[in-house]
C-alpha cells in the first residue's frame, strides 16, 4: 500500500484529499503538513476533514515525518512548494505537485529535482480537464490558423493567481500544436482601442466570483462557425481523485518529470 503525505492538508483541497484517500483501497494517509503557525497544528486531520479521527496529527515539520510516507502530494503556494521540492529531492521522495502560480525559477527547480526523483506536475488533476487538454490539442491541430482562439476561466473569489494554471496549460497545449511560443502570442484581457485582432493570438480572460470551483472554456472561432470546448468542475473531489491516481502511478516510476497526460496514457 502506498503511504501518502499531504501538504496544505487543512485547506479546502487538502481536506478533500484526506477524505478521498481514506476511501481508497491502495493508499493510506501517513502524514498531514501545514504552514508554521497554522491554527490546525496538533489536531487530528480526520476530524478537520469531517471523517472522524485517523490518528494523523497535523504538523509543520515535513522533514520530521519524511520516513513515514512514500509520496508527497503538494497543493500549496509557490514559496512552500519550492521548499518542499528541495526537501523531497534531498530525501528521494516522489511528489505530486498541483500548486499553481509558480515562477519560471520554481519550474526550473522542479525540473532539476526530477533528475533524482519522480515528479507528477500538472496544472489540473481532473481527469475531465485532461481530456479537455487532449481535445483542445486535436482541435488546434485540425483548425490551425483559420480560427481565433480565446480561453475563458472562472474561479472562486479566494483564488489568488490569474489566469489559472489550467488556462495557461490549455494555452501551452494549443501553442505547441500550432508551433507557436505562448509567451509571444498570449493576450490577457482587452480594454480600450485595441485594434483588429491578430489571428495568431491566444486570448485569456479570468473571472473571480463567489464559490465557483472552476470553469474553463476554449473557443475556436472561424468564419461562420465556432467550436467551444468547456469543462465545469462541480466539486474538488474530481481533482482529488486525479491526484491520488497520480500518486499511485508516480510511486512506481523512475526519476523524471511527468504530467496527467502521462498518468492517463494520453501522451502520443
Amino acid at each position: 500500500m502506498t503511504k501518502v503525505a499531504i501538504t496544505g492538508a487543512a485547506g479546502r483541497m487538502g481536506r478533500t484529499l484526506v477524505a478521498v484517500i481514506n476511501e481508497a483501497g491502495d493508499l493510506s494517509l501517513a502524514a498531514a503538513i501545514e504552514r508554521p503557525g497554522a491554527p490546525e497544528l496538533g489536531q487530528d486531520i480526520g476530524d478537520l476533514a469531517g471523517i472522524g479521527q485517523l490518528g494523523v496529527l497535523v504538523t509543520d515539520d515535513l522533514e520530521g515525518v519524511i520516513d513515514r510516507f512514500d509520496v508527497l502530494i503538494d497543493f500549496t503556494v509557490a514559496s512552500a512548494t519550492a521548499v518542499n521540492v528541495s526537501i523531497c529531492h534531498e530525501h528521494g521522495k516522489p511528489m505530486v505537485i498541483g500548486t499553481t502560480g509558480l515562477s519560471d525559477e520554481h519550474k526550473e527547480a522542479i525540473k532539476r529535482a526530477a533528475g533524482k526523483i519522480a515528479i507528477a506536475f500538472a496544472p489540473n488533476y481532473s481527469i475531465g480537464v485532461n481530456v479537455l487538454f487532449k481535445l483542445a490539442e486535436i482541435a488546434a491541430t485540425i483548425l490551425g490558423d483559420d480560427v481565433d482562439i480565446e480561453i475563458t476561466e472562472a474561479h472562486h473569489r479566494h483564488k489568488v493567481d490569474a489566469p489559472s494554471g489550467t488556462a495557461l496549460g490549455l494555452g501551452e497545449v494549443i501553442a505547441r500544436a500550432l508551433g507557436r511560443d505562448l509567451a509571444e502570442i498570449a493576450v490577457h484581457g482587452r480594454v480600450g482601442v485595441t485594434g483588429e485582432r491578430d489571428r495568431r493570438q491566444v486570448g485569456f480572460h479570468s473571472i473571480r466570483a463567489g464559490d465557483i470551483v472552476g470553469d474553463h472554456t476554449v473557443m475556436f472561432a472561424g468564419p461562420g462557425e465556432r467550436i467551444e470546448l468547456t469543462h465545469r468542475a462541480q466539486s474538488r473531489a474530481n481533482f482529488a481523485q486525479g491526484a491520488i491516481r497520480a500518486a499511485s502511478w508516480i510511486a512506481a516510476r523512475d526519476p523524471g518529470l511527468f504530467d496527467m497526460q502521462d498518468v492517463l496514457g494520453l501522451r502520443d
Side-chain angles (χ1 to χ4, degrees):
M1 181 173 290
T2 301
K3 294 179 289 184
V4 178
I6 299 173
T7 56
R12 290 186 297 271
M13 186 62 184
R15 297 182 195 208
T16 304
L17 281 164
V18 169
V20 172
I21 289 173
N22 189 56
E23 296 177 356
D26 59 341
L27 300 172
S28 64
L29 183 66
I33 301 96
E34 260 298 338
R35 69 190 186 282
E40 298 86 1
L41 294 178
Q43 298 183 48
D44 190 292
I45 191 61
D47 286 338
L48 292 172
I51 58 175
Q53 291 192 355
L54 298 177
V56 177
L57 304 183
V58 180
T59 178
D60 61 2
D61 183 9
L62 176 58
E63 288 194 280
V65 295
I66 202 73
D67 293 329
R68 298 182 190 175
F69 65 87
D70 302 312
V71 180
L72 177 69
I73 300 180
D74 185 335
F75 282 76
T76 54
V77 296
S79 57
T81 295
V83 173
N84 296 335
V85 167
S86 178
I87 293 172
C88 286
H89 178 245
E90 179 182 353
H91 293 277
K93 295 291 183 175
M95 295 184 71
V96 173
I97 301 175
T99 303
T100 59
L102 297 174
S103 67
D104 290 341
E105 182 180 353
H106 290 140
K107 293 175 184 178
E108 283 301 317
I110 290 171
K111 289 180 182 178
R112 289 194 299 272
K116 180 180 177 181
I117 60 175
I119 299 177
F121 176 38
N124 194 307
Y125 283 88
S126 159
I127 294 172
V129 162
N130 281 277
V131 173
L132 176 63
F133 283 148
K134 192 66 178 180
L135 294 175
E137 178 186 25
I138 293 169
T141 301
I142 294 171
L143 299 171
D145 295 329
D146 294 331
V147 293
D148 298 319
I149 302 171
E150 299 283 318
I151 299 172
T152 303
E153 56 95 356
H155 284 84
H156 54 87
R157 65 190 306 273
H158 301 290
K159 186 169 178 59
V160 298
D161 58 308
S164 68
T166 300
L168 292 172
L170 284 165
E172 291 286 359
V173 165
I174 291 166
R176 283 197 300 270
L178 296 173
R180 304 175 190 171
D181 182 348
L182 184 62
E184 296 178 358
I185 62 173
V187 175
H188 298 280
R190 296 183 179 88
V191 64
V193 180
T194 60
E196 183 175 341
R197 188 193 197 282
D198 181 345
R199 176 143 282 173
R200 292 179 58 80
Q201 295 175 347
V202 174
F204 290 88
H205 311 276
S206 298
I207 297 167
R208 296 290 176 268
D211 60 356
I212 301 170
V213 175
D215 296 349
H216 294 87
T217 295
V218 186
M219 177 190 294
F220 299 88
E225 64 178 0
R226 68 179 182 269
I227 296 172
E228 295 183 16
L229 303 174
T230 297
H231 177 273
R232 302 188 191 281
Q234 298 168 306
S235 166
R236 289 182 180 82
N238 58 321
F239 305 122
Q241 291 286 356
I244 67 168
R245 184 164 172 174
S248 294
W249 188 87
I250 205 73
R253 291 295 174 276
D254 292 330
L257 186 59
F258 307 93
D259 62 17
M260 277 299 283
Q261 299 291 299
D262 297 306
V263 174
L264 298 175
L266 296 176
R267 184 76 64 207
D268 290 335

